[in-house]
Amino acid sequence: MVSQPSVNIKEILEQVVSTKPLVYHMTNMVAMAEQAHLTLAIGASPVMSLSSEEAAEMVNIANAVLINIGTPSKEANEAMLTAAHTAKRLGKPAILDPVGYGATKLRINLVEGLLETGAFSIVKGNGGEISLLASERAEVRGVDSVGSPPAAIAAKTVAQKYSCIAAATGHEDYVSDGERVYVLRSGHEWLTRISGSGCWAGTLMAACLSVTEPLPAAMSALSLMGAASQIAAEQSDGPGTFRIRMFDVMYQITQNPHAFSFPQWELMEV
């Protein structure tokens, strides 16, 4: 291991607050409301729509686009493809969260169609999803990863395969640009006891991506998630109060990032 890369997390968070970017969420119905709340808590602005009729217009006005396939439908799938093509054409920063990739043929075909657009500078998923995208063996049950192989190698492979930044989240988070792999050991186990925590990470990445490059955006977002979860857990009695405290702590950190410390990334030899 060698020391962490130079990523100015505090400056990136300050830029998010000062610019108040509009993040267009095409996301799942389970987490949509909380992703909107989180976007506002960190100083950005959310817009949520799965309508194919307005997808291109939404991309046009947005500062960043997050496509999360968690609850697919015929219209939503069409809207996501329209948004991806539009983001590519306009050069808008976009993130793909391939929720449940590998669980059904529908999700496999949808994700592969989205990736074919070449629109995404960040692909973020859990260890199982990223491993499957890397053509590695993994088991996915619902949206949870089960029995994943080394996610670090998978993240590097996905980054190379799709010319993007790949982020594999889990007990340890891995981010790769296709050449290097960085690891973050932080967070709290209660993140696995609430629904939507992975979706929150996508929201944070999209907000950061609107003000910086993909690699520091992904790393800053996961550092923020790790720091906030550790602080929120200390103030909570269980997953329920932890969920609520996460919003408060995210707000406090982004309002004054220099008052907080963040977990450190390390460069791995992979």
Side-chain angles (χ1 to χ4, degrees):
M1 296 285 183
V2 293
S3 61
Q4 70 163 355
S6 177
V7 177
N8 195 328
I9 298 168
K10 297 176 182 181
E11 181 178 304
I12 289 170
L13 296 180
E14 286 179 330
Q15 289 181 41
V16 169
V17 173
S18 65
T19 60
K20 197 173 182 179
L22 179 64
V23 179
Y24 175 26
H25 289 72
M26 309 188 82
T27 191
N28 69 79
M29 305 304 293
V30 176
M32 183 180 289
E34 292 197 340
Q35 286 179 270
H37 298 326
L38 178 62
T39 309
L40 291 168
I42 63 172
S45 181
V47 62
M48 336 295 281
S49 175
L50 290 170
S51 171
S52 58
E53 295 181 1
E54 64 177 4
E57 292 178 85
M58 285 293 189
V59 173
N60 187 59
I61 64 174
N63 298 108
V65 180
L66 171 62
I67 296 182
N68 172 314
I69 71 157
T71 49
S73 68
K74 183 177 180 180
E75 180 173 8
N77 298 357
E78 293 176 357
M80 291 176 189
L81 287 166
T82 297
H85 282 292
T86 306
K88 176 64 175 178
R89 177 170 56 84
L90 298 178
K92 291 296 180 83
I95 297 175
L96 176 63
D97 191 342
V99 176
Y101 177 78
T104 65
K105 291 182 180 179
L106 184 151
R107 291 174 189 263
I108 293 170
N109 292 336
L110 175 58
V111 168
E112 291 179 355
L114 288 166
L115 288 169
E116 286 175 1
T117 68
F120 303 101
S121 54
I122 298 177
V123 176
K124 180 213 77 71
N126 62 39
E129 293 155 356
I130 295 300
S131 294
L132 286 169
L133 280 173
S135 299
E136 301 289 346
R137 292 187 61 191
E139 181 184 350
V140 174
R141 183 183 61 215
V143 299
D144 299 319
S145 62
V146 183
S148 301
I153 298 173
K156 184 176 182 179
T157 300
V158 168
Q160 293 171 342
K161 188 175 181 180
Y162 297 107
S163 300
C164 67
I165 298 301
T169 61
H171 178 67
E172 295 180 343
D173 296 327
Y174 301 98
V175 171
S176 178
D177 60 3
E179 295 182 4
R180 296 168 295 272
V181 179
Y182 302 97
V183 59
L184 182 70
R185 299 178 176 88
S186 69
H188 193 275
E189 64 175 340
W190 286 342
L191 288 171
T192 66
R193 298 299 182 94
I194 60 175
S195 63
S197 60
C199 304
W200 296 359
T203 291
L204 298 178
M205 286 186 192
C208 292
L209 185 60
S210 71
V211 300
T212 191
E213 296 300 312
L215 181 61
M219 298 176 80
S220 295
L222 292 174
S223 291
L224 172 57
M225 194 80 174
S229 65
Q230 291 170 344
I231 296 170
E234 294 173 356
Q235 304 171 358
S236 305
D237 298 319
T241 48
F242 172 72
R243 177 191 290 274
I244 295 170
R245 288 299 297 156
M246 280 289 287
F247 291 101
D248 293 341
V249 175
M250 292 278 195
Y251 169 79
Q252 293 162 3
I253 292 176
T254 52
Q255 287 297 305
N256 186 16
H258 291 280
F260 295 85
S261 60
F262 295 87
Q264 302 297 299
W265 288 88
E266 294 178 311
L267 179 63
M268 298 183 68
E269 294 183 4
V270 176

